[in-house]
């Protein structure tokens, strides 16, 4: 496969790599994407309507329960071969950073230290009023045994409702995370986009930003998401297959 050989040659010649990851890499660990049909209690709900500040104001218990369910899913999931490939590349001597749209911690559990979460994290929470971080107790992280949704806990400072520490639809990205991502992309030699749709902005602008900074871009996706620039290499396939193959051809154990 010509594209694989080209990608291996590029990898062998660079030092600073930024992996830009999206839902596709976590889907291989069993975490559903927004395109997947929901089941059980959530089958009648649209994720894009649950993931809004308006929905939280209208029905905080429902949205909090949705958050807890997603959090439990993420905690039960395990890193897959793609996550571990990124970690192995870092351990082999490349300067590797990860910028992710995902709100799970699978990259960290696979052994990657430098991870920028553009959309926040399922493992964090904050006050919807004063926006202070909120540390949750174990008994606040589960749905009742009867399956009833419970009201989110209150903030100790302002009595506001605790909300997930994630970025909802129509909300801005965290400024510090975005600035970190831009800095990494503008100074990398290679950006590897894995499992991203390329439609959620401003994060989707990162590959183009890398190209403008004279970096190469490798895409790993089930469909062609490239922009047609000569500095791009498109690898069609699942991340769990493509990334380990790249490392094998590089001679990275």
């Amino acid at each position: 496969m010509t594209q694989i050989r080209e990608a291996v040659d590029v990898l062998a010649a660079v030092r600073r790599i930024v992996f830009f990851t999206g839902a596709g890499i976590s889907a291989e660990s069993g975490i559903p994407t927004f395109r997947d049909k929901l089941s059980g209690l959530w089958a009648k709900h649209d994720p894009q309507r649950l993931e809004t500040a308006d929905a939280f104001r209208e029905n905080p218990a429902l949205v909090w329960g949705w958050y807890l369910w997603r959090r439990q899913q993420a905690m039960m999931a395990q890193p897959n071969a793609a996550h571990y490939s990124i970690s192995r590349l870092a351990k082999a001597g490349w300067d590797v950073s990860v910028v992710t749209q995902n709100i799970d911690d699978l990259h960290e559990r696979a052994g990657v230290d430098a991870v920028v979460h553009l959309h926040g994290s399922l493992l964090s929470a904050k006050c919807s009023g004063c926006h202070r971080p909120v540390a949750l107790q174990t008994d606040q992280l589960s749905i009742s045994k009867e399956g009833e949704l419970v009201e989110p806990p209150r903030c100790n400072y302002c009595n506001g409702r605790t909300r997930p520490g994630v970025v909802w639809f129509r909300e801005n990205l965290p400024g510090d995370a975005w600035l970190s991502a831009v800095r990494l992309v503008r100074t990398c030699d290679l950006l590897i986009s894995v499992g991203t749709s390329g439609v959620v902005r401003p994060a989707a602008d990162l590959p183009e930003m890398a190209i403008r900074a004279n970096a190469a871009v490798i895409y790993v996706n089930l469909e062609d998401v490239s922009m047609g620039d000569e500095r791009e290499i498109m690898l069609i396939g699942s991340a769990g297959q493509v990334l380990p193959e790249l490392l094998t051809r590089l001679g990275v154990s």
Side-chain angles (χ1 to χ4, degrees):
M1 183 177 178
T2 303
Q3 291 89 343
I4 282 282
R5 289 197 297 270
E6 291 177 357
V8 170
D9 290 342
V10 170
L11 274 164
V14 302
R15 180 176 176 273
R16 293 187 302 274
I17 302 172
V18 171
F19 281 87
F20 173 42
T21 65
I25 192 171
S26 290
E28 294 186 51
S29 290
I31 298 179
T33 71
F34 281 128
R35 298 177 184 178
D36 296 329
K37 186 176 180 179
L38 300 178
S39 59
L41 176 66
W42 307 105
K44 61 183 179 181
H45 295 287
D46 179 356
Q48 296 196 39
R49 297 196 176 190
L50 290 173
E51 294 280 332
T52 67
D54 288 342
F56 186 71
R57 283 190 290 268
E58 293 168 7
N59 195 335
L62 179 69
V63 175
W64 185 248
W66 162 248
Y67 156 73
L68 293 180
W69 178 74
R70 294 190 68 196
R71 187 182 192 278
Q72 290 166 355
Q73 274 197 319
M75 293 300 292
M76 289 188 294
Q78 297 298 319
N80 60 58
H83 294 104
Y84 284 116
S85 292
I86 297 173
S87 177
R88 286 164 52 203
L89 198 61
K91 290 180 173 64
W94 277 265
D95 182 353
V96 173
S97 300
V98 173
V99 175
T100 186
Q101 295 174 291
N102 298 333
I103 54 178
D104 56 64
D105 66 339
L106 295 179
H107 283 301
E108 288 89 342
R109 282 196 270 150
V112 178
D113 296 323
V115 183
V116 176
H117 285 270
L118 288 179
H119 294 163
S121 171
L122 280 168
L123 304 185
S124 66
K126 65 181 181 180
C127 175
S128 60
C130 66
H131 303 292
R132 285 184 172 91
V134 176
L136 300 175
Q137 305 300 318
T138 302
D139 60 353
Q140 296 173 320
L141 295 172
S142 61
I143 300 175
S144 66
K145 293 181 180 179
E146 293 78 16
E148 297 175 355
L149 302 180
V150 296
E151 285 289 328
R154 293 281 183 168
C155 172
N156 292 330
Y157 292 93
C158 73
N159 202 41
R161 287 189 175 92
T162 299
R163 57 158 284 180
V166 301
V167 177
W168 283 332
F169 290 106
R170 298 191 296 276
E171 290 186 331
N172 294 327
L173 301 183
D176 55 347
W178 177 246
L179 289 175
S180 295
V182 169
R183 176 181 55 80
L184 288 169
V185 169
R186 285 179 173 170
T187 57
C188 73
D189 304 314
L190 169 66
L191 183 141
I192 304 180
S193 172
V194 184
T196 63
S197 63
V199 297
V200 180
R201 288 191 151 74
D205 296 327
L206 293 176
E208 184 177 352
M209 193 180 298
I211 290 173
R212 290 201 303 268
N214 294 319
V217 175
I218 297 173
Y219 298 93
V220 179
N221 207 298
L222 296 176
E223 56 188 29
D224 191 338
V225 294
S226 63
M227 297 177 290
D229 191 275
E230 61 181 9
R231 298 182 66 85
E232 297 175 308
I233 300 172
M234 184 68 235
L235 303 179
I236 302 290
S238 70
Q241 293 179 329
V242 173
L243 292 185
E245 181 177 353
L246 284 176
L247 265 63
T248 297
R249 295 192 179 214
L250 266 175
V252 175
S253 58

